[in-house]
Amino acid sequence: MSVGLQSMETDVVVLGAGPAGLAAAVSARSAGARVLLVEREDRVGGILKQCVHDGFGLEKFRERLTGPEYALREADAFRASGASLLTEAYVTSATRSGDSSFLLDCVSPRGVAQVRARALVMATGCRERTDRQVFIHGDRPAGIFTAGLAQYMVNVQGLLPGRRAVILGSGDIGLIMARRLTLEGVKVEGVYEIKSEPSGLARNVRQCLEDFGIPLYLSTTVTSVRGRRRVEGVTVAAVDGRSRPIPGTERELACDTLILSVGLIPENELAVSLGVPLDGATRGPRVDQNMHTLADGVFACGNAVHVNDLADYVSESGRVAGGAAAAWALGGPQARDLTPLRAGPGFLYAVPQFVDVLSGERGSVFFRSNATVAAGARVSLGAMKDDDRRELAAKTYPVLRPPELERLVLPPELPSGADSYILDMERMDGGGNDA
Amino acid sequence: MPETLNLTCIVCPRGCRLTVVKDGDAVSVSGHACPRGEAYGRQEAVCPLRSLTTTVRADGGARPRLAVRSSADLPLSRLLDAMAALDGVVVRAPVRAGDVVARDILGLGVDMLATDNLEEARHE
Ligand SMILES: Cc1cc2nc3c(=O)[nH]c(=O)nc-3n(C[C@H](O)[C@H](O)[C@H](O)COP(=O)(O)OP(=O)(O)OC[C@H]3O[C@@H](n4cnc5c(N)ncnc54)[C@H](O)[C@@H]3O)c2cc1C
Ligand code: SF4
């Protein structure tokens, strides 16, 4: 279903039709808001459309779905919701108009539309780090691809990036592509990871590399690329504890393809243009438990907020953001009382970064540890008042690993009047934090 | 001589570290947090099974490839053979997710099913 292109008014505009945006649109619509979902591609589903492997939806649907199957279910729920959709549409600018609405310029093949909305939900996903953000010497010939681009080529376009590939970085998409390329007959020489631990999930190391005998080299990186027009080979070297190549450990590898799986960055250009403050650790907007950013009326969800490893969590954040955006749009701006939630030592980050103590929604704190805690840890949330810490919730985790996002459910009642909330980690082996 | 396998359970994202001890026909599994992990560990000791997800060529569709999956798990050792068998498969759009794309591959009693919809190409 499409809408005509004149200037139009709605309650909630959701940007991006991946799993986050689809869930946000459905939940805003079911809360009674008029909803417009804007997507730049010609189909909804976001990045899931190219993730043909399975493992999605174990939490939400209790089934092992492929990416396209997960996206189809979310798209069906979206169609049934009665929300409007604009595809092949790009929002070029967003500005505030008064204190209770936004004006968006929306360009599509059918022309330019101006959309007025009372609340915005940013569900724009993430983008991949590229070779410009990685330190490699040498030429920049053809044959260097990000893992997601290689995934798009193989799974959507039916093209092989090359015949002999080296993968730099052990992020999940790189691991998935090592398997995918091997199945398609490409020789994958190995996966090279600069850190001392894989950055993808253990299950992907097992089922994507070990199953196919693809070697994983830790504390090793690609130091230079050779080749004039096309990649002809790369040099790899072991690194020391500070990620510096160790002289004398260089090895030359012949390959025609270098695949980069070196991280994802939340996509927030439009949010930033609206003055939404970002978190240095997540690179996404700082949000409260309603996925409300620090800019009133601007909500965010999914990988635009922080890079999730499960689509299920992405959908959940979309549901929360959509419901809260509808309440804001329909009920008018409401007072917020934001108390900061900080992650103590041992964590990479925690989301949300604030708790709105005036809001009924409680939700969960999602966090990542900054190093593997093999002995397990007890993670607790405390309310700080002056120098007193009062424990509100706690859970023991048998192991914590940076690639695995963990969740601590917030208690139904949070005391007001706290100066801040803090997430703390007590390691079971009694060890301190070495990071 | 008992044989010990240390492996990561791949059934769910939790990724429990399993220890599987095989002593003749007796297999014991430890380290699993749920029964599915135990079943997985036992199967790994006998014959590892994996799902196969890939794409096949599509004619007349809005896109050139169609995403597919196996209706059940296949022996890990046969995945590359199954890929070779799928090489010649071409579907014709339109296709709906769930449609059978190839039957009984390699005689293993497993079908390949579409996992996405593929509409016919729009004629401009
Ligand atoms: C290449 C890649 C592969 C991945 N593989 C996996 C995987 O195998 N398993 C897994 O669980 N997770 C994977 N992820 C993480 C995955 O992104 C999440 O699981 C989930 O799809 C994120 O959902 P999302 O809705 O936040 O973002 P996305 O699915 O990325 O959706 C964002 C949508 O917003 C649209 N958009 C962006 N900017 C604009 C704009 N300005 N205007 C209009 N539309 C816009 C995009 O076109 C896209 O459709 C992968 C991520 C990437 C980048
Ligand atoms: S043992 Fe159970 S909980 Fe652990 S990874 Fe396997 S399926 Fe998941």
Short mmCIF file of all heavy atoms in Angstrom, two decimals, chain A residues 139-172:
data_model
loop_
_atom_site.label_atom_id
_atom_site.label_comp_id
_atom_site.label_asym_id
_atom_site.label_seq_id
_atom_site.Cartn_x
_atom_site.Cartn_y
_atom_site.Cartn_z
N ASP A 139 48.21 -0.92 -1.60
CA ASP A 139 47.31 -0.46 -2.65
C ASP A 139 45.86 -0.64 -2.25
O ASP A 139 45.55 -1.31 -1.29
CB ASP A 139 47.59 -1.26 -3.92
CG ASP A 139 49.08 -1.29 -4.24
OD1 ASP A 139 49.69 -0.22 -4.17
OD2 ASP A 139 49.61 -2.38 -4.51
N ARG A 140 44.99 -0.01 -3.02
CA ARG A 140 43.55 -0.23 -2.85
C ARG A 140 42.97 -0.73 -4.16
O ARG A 140 42.21 -0.06 -4.82
CB ARG A 140 42.85 1.09 -2.44
CG ARG A 140 43.05 1.50 -1.00
CD ARG A 140 42.34 0.51 -0.06
NE ARG A 140 42.48 0.93 1.34
CZ ARG A 140 43.55 0.65 2.10
NH1 ARG A 140 44.56 -0.03 1.60
NH2 ARG A 140 43.58 1.05 3.34
N PRO A 141 43.41 -1.94 -4.57
CA PRO A 141 42.91 -2.48 -5.83
C PRO A 141 41.48 -3.00 -5.67
O PRO A 141 40.96 -3.06 -4.55
CB PRO A 141 43.87 -3.64 -6.11
CG PRO A 141 44.33 -4.08 -4.76
CD PRO A 141 44.30 -2.86 -3.87
N ALA A 142 40.87 -3.39 -6.77
CA ALA A 142 39.54 -4.01 -6.70
C ALA A 142 39.68 -5.35 -5.97
O ALA A 142 40.73 -5.97 -6.00
CB ALA A 142 39.01 -4.23 -8.11
N GLY A 143 38.62 -5.78 -5.33
CA GLY A 143 38.65 -7.06 -4.65
C GLY A 143 38.59 -6.93 -3.14
O GLY A 143 38.71 -7.92 -2.43
N ILE A 144 38.41 -5.69 -2.64
CA ILE A 144 38.24 -5.51 -1.19
C ILE A 144 36.77 -5.19 -0.94
O ILE A 144 36.23 -4.24 -1.53
CB ILE A 144 39.13 -4.35 -0.66
CG1 ILE A 144 40.59 -4.59 -1.04
CG2 ILE A 144 38.98 -4.22 0.85
CD1 ILE A 144 41.54 -3.48 -0.60
N PHE A 145 36.12 -6.01 -0.13
CA PHE A 145 34.70 -5.84 0.13
C PHE A 145 34.42 -5.89 1.62
O PHE A 145 35.09 -6.63 2.34
CB PHE A 145 33.90 -6.99 -0.50
CG PHE A 145 34.15 -7.19 -1.97
CD1 PHE A 145 35.13 -8.08 -2.39
CD2 PHE A 145 33.42 -6.49 -2.91
CE1 PHE A 145 35.37 -8.27 -3.74
CE2 PHE A 145 33.65 -6.68 -4.26
CZ PHE A 145 34.63 -7.56 -4.68
N THR A 146 33.42 -5.16 2.07
CA THR A 146 32.94 -5.41 3.43
C THR A 146 32.13 -6.71 3.38
O THR A 146 31.61 -7.11 2.32
CB THR A 146 32.03 -4.28 3.94
OG1 THR A 146 30.90 -4.18 3.08
CG2 THR A 146 32.77 -2.95 3.99
N ALA A 147 32.02 -7.37 4.53
CA ALA A 147 31.32 -8.66 4.58
C ALA A 147 29.86 -8.50 4.16
O ALA A 147 29.31 -9.37 3.48
CB ALA A 147 31.42 -9.25 5.98
N GLY A 148 29.24 -7.41 4.57
CA GLY A 148 27.83 -7.20 4.22
C GLY A 148 27.64 -6.98 2.73
O GLY A 148 26.66 -7.44 2.14
N LEU A 149 28.60 -6.30 2.10
CA LEU A 149 28.50 -6.10 0.65
C LEU A 149 28.67 -7.44 -0.06
O LEU A 149 27.94 -7.76 -1.00
CB LEU A 149 29.55 -5.08 0.18
CG LEU A 149 29.60 -4.86 -1.34
CD1 LEU A 149 28.26 -4.38 -1.87
CD2 LEU A 149 30.70 -3.86 -1.70
N ALA A 150 29.65 -8.24 0.42
CA ALA A 150 29.85 -9.57 -0.18
C ALA A 150 28.58 -10.40 -0.01
O ALA A 150 28.17 -11.13 -0.92
CB ALA A 150 31.05 -10.26 0.49
N GLN A 151 27.94 -10.26 1.15
CA GLN A 151 26.70 -11.02 1.42
C GLN A 151 25.60 -10.59 0.43
O GLN A 151 24.87 -11.42 -0.11
CB GLN A 151 26.25 -10.73 2.85
CG GLN A 151 25.12 -11.60 3.35
CD GLN A 151 24.77 -11.26 4.79
OE1 GLN A 151 24.65 -10.10 5.15
NE2 GLN A 151 24.62 -12.28 5.61
N TYR A 152 25.51 -9.30 0.18
CA TYR A 152 24.52 -8.80 -0.77
C TYR A 152 24.80 -9.33 -2.17
O TYR A 152 23.91 -9.79 -2.88
CB TYR A 152 24.53 -7.26 -0.74
CG TYR A 152 23.53 -6.66 -1.69
CD1 TYR A 152 22.18 -6.55 -1.32
CD2 TYR A 152 23.91 -6.20 -2.95
CE1 TYR A 152 21.25 -6.01 -2.20
CE2 TYR A 152 22.98 -5.66 -3.82
CZ TYR A 152 21.66 -5.56 -3.45
OH TYR A 152 20.73 -5.04 -4.31
N MET A 153 26.09 -9.29 -2.56
CA MET A 153 26.45 -9.77 -3.91
C MET A 153 26.08 -11.23 -4.08
O MET A 153 25.46 -11.62 -5.06
CB MET A 153 27.96 -9.61 -4.13
CG MET A 153 28.41 -8.16 -4.27
SD MET A 153 30.23 -8.04 -4.23
CE MET A 153 30.64 -8.90 -5.75
N VAL A 154 26.47 -12.06 -3.10
CA VAL A 154 26.26 -13.51 -3.25
C VAL A 154 24.78 -13.86 -3.13
O VAL A 154 24.23 -14.57 -3.98
CB VAL A 154 27.07 -14.28 -2.18
CG1 VAL A 154 26.75 -15.77 -2.23
CG2 VAL A 154 28.56 -14.05 -2.37
N ASN A 155 24.12 -13.33 -2.11
CA ASN A 155 22.76 -13.80 -1.80
C ASN A 155 21.66 -13.10 -2.60
O ASN A 155 20.61 -13.69 -2.82
CB ASN A 155 22.47 -13.63 -0.31
CG ASN A 155 23.32 -14.56 0.53
OD1 ASN A 155 23.92 -15.50 0.00
ND2 ASN A 155 23.39 -14.30 1.82
N VAL A 156 21.89 -11.86 -2.97
CA VAL A 156 20.83 -11.13 -3.67
C VAL A 156 21.13 -11.05 -5.17
O VAL A 156 20.27 -11.29 -6.00
CB VAL A 156 20.62 -9.72 -3.07
CG1 VAL A 156 19.54 -8.96 -3.82
CG2 VAL A 156 20.27 -9.84 -1.58
N GLN A 157 22.38 -10.73 -5.49
CA GLN A 157 22.71 -10.56 -6.91
C GLN A 157 23.20 -11.83 -7.57
O GLN A 157 23.23 -11.91 -8.79
CB GLN A 157 23.79 -9.48 -7.06
CG GLN A 157 23.35 -8.11 -6.55
CD GLN A 157 24.45 -7.08 -6.71
OE1 GLN A 157 25.55 -7.27 -6.21
NE2 GLN A 157 24.16 -6.00 -7.42
N GLY A 158 23.60 -12.82 -6.76
CA GLY A 158 24.10 -14.06 -7.34
C GLY A 158 25.48 -13.92 -7.96
O GLY A 158 25.79 -14.60 -8.94
N LEU A 159 26.31 -13.04 -7.41
CA LEU A 159 27.67 -12.83 -7.92
C LEU A 159 28.67 -13.31 -6.90
O LEU A 159 28.46 -13.14 -5.70
CB LEU A 159 27.91 -11.33 -8.16
CG LEU A 159 26.94 -10.61 -9.08
CD1 LEU A 159 27.17 -9.10 -9.02
CD2 LEU A 159 27.12 -11.13 -10.51
N LEU A 160 29.79 -13.89 -7.36
CA LEU A 160 30.85 -14.25 -6.42
C LEU A 160 31.89 -13.14 -6.40
O LEU A 160 32.30 -12.66 -7.46
CB LEU A 160 31.53 -15.56 -6.85
CG LEU A 160 30.71 -16.82 -6.62
CD1 LEU A 160 31.55 -18.05 -6.96
CD2 LEU A 160 30.21 -16.91 -5.19
N PRO A 161 32.35 -12.73 -5.22
CA PRO A 161 33.32 -11.64 -5.16
C PRO A 161 34.69 -12.05 -5.69
O PRO A 161 35.47 -11.18 -6.10
CB PRO A 161 33.39 -11.28 -3.67
CG PRO A 161 32.85 -12.46 -2.95
CD PRO A 161 31.89 -13.15 -3.89
N GLY A 162 35.03 -13.35 -5.68
CA GLY A 162 36.34 -13.80 -6.16
C GLY A 162 36.43 -15.30 -6.02
O GLY A 162 35.41 -15.98 -5.83
N ARG A 163 37.65 -15.84 -6.13
CA ARG A 163 37.84 -17.30 -6.05
C ARG A 163 38.61 -17.72 -4.81
O ARG A 163 38.57 -18.88 -4.41
CB ARG A 163 38.64 -17.81 -7.28
CG ARG A 163 38.11 -17.44 -8.64
CD ARG A 163 36.72 -17.96 -8.98
NE ARG A 163 36.41 -19.28 -8.44
CZ ARG A 163 35.19 -19.82 -8.45
NH1 ARG A 163 34.17 -19.15 -8.95
NH2 ARG A 163 34.98 -21.01 -7.95
N ARG A 164 39.38 -16.79 -4.24
CA ARG A 164 40.25 -17.14 -3.12
C ARG A 164 40.23 -15.95 -2.17
O ARG A 164 40.68 -14.87 -2.52
CB ARG A 164 41.66 -17.30 -3.68
CG ARG A 164 42.51 -18.32 -3.01
CD ARG A 164 43.88 -18.36 -3.71
NE ARG A 164 44.79 -19.05 -2.82
CZ ARG A 164 45.09 -20.34 -2.94
NH1 ARG A 164 44.61 -21.04 -3.93
NH2 ARG A 164 45.90 -20.90 -2.05
N ALA A 165 39.68 -16.16 -0.97
CA ALA A 165 39.42 -15.01 -0.09
C ALA A 165 40.14 -15.12 1.24
O ALA A 165 40.34 -16.21 1.78
CB ALA A 165 37.91 -14.90 0.15
N VAL A 166 40.53 -13.95 1.74
CA VAL A 166 41.03 -13.83 3.11
C VAL A 166 40.03 -12.94 3.83
O VAL A 166 39.55 -11.95 3.27
CB VAL A 166 42.43 -13.18 3.11
CG1 VAL A 166 42.80 -12.67 4.51
CG2 VAL A 166 43.47 -14.19 2.63
N ILE A 167 39.68 -13.31 5.05
CA ILE A 167 38.72 -12.52 5.81
C ILE A 167 39.44 -11.85 6.97
O ILE A 167 40.13 -12.50 7.75
CB ILE A 167 37.55 -13.40 6.29
CG1 ILE A 167 36.85 -14.00 5.06
CG2 ILE A 167 36.57 -12.59 7.15
CD1 ILE A 167 35.63 -14.82 5.31
N LEU A 168 39.31 -10.53 7.03
CA LEU A 168 39.92 -9.77 8.13
C LEU A 168 38.82 -9.41 9.12
O LEU A 168 37.86 -8.73 8.76
CB LEU A 168 40.59 -8.50 7.60
CG LEU A 168 41.12 -7.55 8.69
CD1 LEU A 168 42.17 -8.22 9.56
CD2 LEU A 168 41.69 -6.28 8.07
N GLY A 169 39.00 -9.86 10.35
CA GLY A 169 38.00 -9.57 11.38
C GLY A 169 37.08 -10.76 11.56
O GLY A 169 36.74 -11.44 10.60
N SER A 170 36.72 -11.04 12.82
CA SER A 170 35.90 -12.23 13.09
C SER A 170 34.52 -11.84 13.58
O SER A 170 33.94 -12.52 14.40
CB SER A 170 36.61 -13.11 14.12
OG SER A 170 36.83 -12.37 15.31
N GLY A 171 33.99 -10.75 13.05
CA GLY A 171 32.61 -10.39 13.35
C GLY A 171 31.67 -11.44 12.78
O GLY A 171 32.06 -12.21 11.89
N ASP A 172 30.45 -11.47 13.29
CA ASP A 172 29.51 -12.52 12.86
C ASP A 172 29.27 -12.55 11.35
O ASP A 172 29.17 -13.62 10.76
CB ASP A 172 28.17 -12.36 13.60
CG ASP A 172 28.27 -12.84 15.02
OD1 ASP A 172 28.72 -13.98 15.22
OD2 ASP A 172 27.91 -12.08 15.94
#
